[in-house]
Amino acid sequence: MSSLKGKVAIVTGSSRGIGSILAKDLAKEGCNIVVNYSGSEADAKSVVDDITASGGVAIAVQANVASPSDMTALFDAAIDQYGKVDILVNNAGISIYKLVKDTTEEDFERIFQINVKGVFLGLKEAATRLQENGRVINFSSSVTRLMLPTYGVYSATKAAVEQLTRVFAKEVGARGITVNSISPGPTNTDLFLKGKTEETIQRLASMSALGRIGEPEDISSVVLFLASESAAWVTGQNIGANGGFA
Ligand code: NAP
C-alpha cells in the first residue's frame, strides 16, 4: 500500500492493544505517526522506540481524548511536527461490562466521555484540519449487532460512533475525505480479556465462523485498507472485522 508513504497519521490510544499494532503497521507503510496515550507513557514511548528502530518516524503525545483542549493540542502537536494530518484513527476506548441495573451513573458518564465525546472531539478537529482526501477511521464494535447482556452501555457508545460516522462522511465528502468505522469482534487485548474466565473467552471464540478470537493484526490490516487510496470509494460504512462473529 505505497499510497500511504509520507502520510501523517494520528492514532488515538496507541500505547497499547490494537492501536499500538496499528501505529507500527502504518509506520511500516511509510506514515509518520502520532502515538497518543492518556496514562501509559512508558508503553507509548516503547511503541515510538519500536517504530524508530525499524526506520520509521513517530512521536508520542499525551492527550485525554475526552478533553477538548487536549484534542486540539494533539492536532497542534502533529502539525507542529509534521506540517499536516492526513489520517485520524479514533481508536481510544474503554469497556464496562455490567448489567444495566448495576451500571452506575459514573460508569455511564465515563464511558460516554471517552468512547463518544472522544470521537466527537476528534471529528471536530478533523473537519477543519485534515488534509484534502484525508481518512477518518472510527472504532465501533461488533456487539452493536448482538444483544449480549452486560454490553448495554458499551454497545450504546459504539452505536453512537457508527451514526456519527455516517453523518460526518456526508459533511466532509466534498473535500475527498472518507469516514468509516470498523467493528472488531473479540480481540486479544486487555480490553477484551480483563475479568473474563478462560471458559467465557472460549465461548466467545466459538461464536466466530473461524473458531478463534481476533488478533490486533487482523484489525490493523483492515484499517490499513480503509486508510489507503484503494478505499477511496468506501465512505460512510461500518466494516465488520470479526471472523464472522456477527
Ligand atoms: P486496550 O488494549 O484497552 O487499549 C486502549 C487504548 O486506549 C490504550 O492505548 C489507552 O491508553 C487508550 N485510552 C484509553 N482511554 C483514553 C483516553 N481517555 N485518551 C486517550 N487514550 C485513551 O483496548 P483495545 O482492545 O486495543 O481497543 C481499541 C478499540 O477497539 C476501542 O475503541 C475498543 O472499544 C475497540 N474494540 C475492541 C475490541 C476487543 O475485543 N479488544 C472489540 C471491539 C472493539 P492509556 O493506557 O494511555 O490510557
Side-chain angles (χ1 to χ4, degrees):
M1 270 171 229
S2 56
S3 66
L4 290 172
K5 198 164 173 47
K7 303 283 185 193
V8 175
I10 297 175
V11 183
T12 69
S14 47
S15 50
R16 300 183 289 109
I18 297 168
S20 65
I21 299 299
L22 176 58
K24 292 179 201 179
D25 286 351
L26 283 165
K28 280 182 206 147
E29 296 295 330
C31 289
N32 299 329
I33 308 293
V34 176
V35 174
N36 160 248
Y37 65 99
S38 67
S40 302
E41 184 177 11
D43 291 320
K45 290 200 164 142
S46 153
V47 174
V48 170
D49 288 347
D50 284 354
I51 290 173
T52 48
S54 309
V57 179
I59 55 168
V61 179
Q62 194 279 335
N64 172 7
V65 294
S67 155
S69 56
D70 280 16
M71 185 60 82
T72 300
L74 181 60
F75 272 75
D76 289 348
I79 291 165
D80 285 352
Q81 184 73 22
Y82 302 124
K84 60 174 184 166
V85 181
D86 299 288
I87 299 164
L88 171 65
V89 184
N90 281 313
N91 161 81
I94 61 165
S95 60
I96 292 172
Y97 308 120
K98 288 185 182 178
L99 296 172
V100 170
K101 76 176 173 60
D102 297 329
T103 307
T104 64
E105 275 184 68
E106 289 73 25
D107 291 333
F108 182 93
E109 300 291 354
R110 178 155 182 270
I111 196 167
F112 267 85
Q113 284 282 320
I114 296 172
N115 290 10
V116 183
K117 189 177 174 192
V119 172
F120 160 72
L121 293 173
L123 300 185
K124 276 177 76 76
E125 293 293 331
T128 55
R129 305 181 80 185
L130 213 61
Q131 292 290 297
E132 304 266 312
N133 303 315
R135 297 281 184 268
V136 178
I137 297 110
N138 297 324
F139 267 68
S140 179
S141 165
S142 294
V143 294
T144 60
R145 304 175 184 183
L146 299 168
M147 278 60 72
L148 293 176
T150 75
Y151 282 75
V153 176
Y154 175 71
S155 64
T157 65
K158 297 304 189 179
V161 168
E162 288 180 22
Q163 189 62 5
L164 267 172
T165 300
R166 287 187 276 266
V167 173
F168 191 66
K170 291 273 175 85
E171 293 182 357
V172 294
R175 291 209 293 125
I177 296 170
T178 68
V179 185
N180 294 289
S181 55
I182 183 164
S183 281
T187 306
N188 188 11
T189 70
D190 292 346
L191 179 141
F192 169 68
L193 298 173
K194 98 179 156 214
K196 291 191 175 71
T197 61
E198 191 51 36
E199 189 188 353
T200 304
I201 293 166
Q202 285 313 318
R203 183 171 51 76
L204 289 162
S206 69
M207 286 171 69
S208 84
L210 300 178
R212 65 171 176 87
I213 65 169
E215 295 298 326
E217 290 79 1
D218 294 319
I219 312 307
S220 175
S221 57
V222 180
V223 177
L224 255 58
F225 165 68
L226 291 172
S228 76
E229 185 56 33
S230 307
W233 192 236
V234 181
T235 194
Q237 306 301 309
N238 178 53
I239 310 294
N242 58 29
F245 174 73

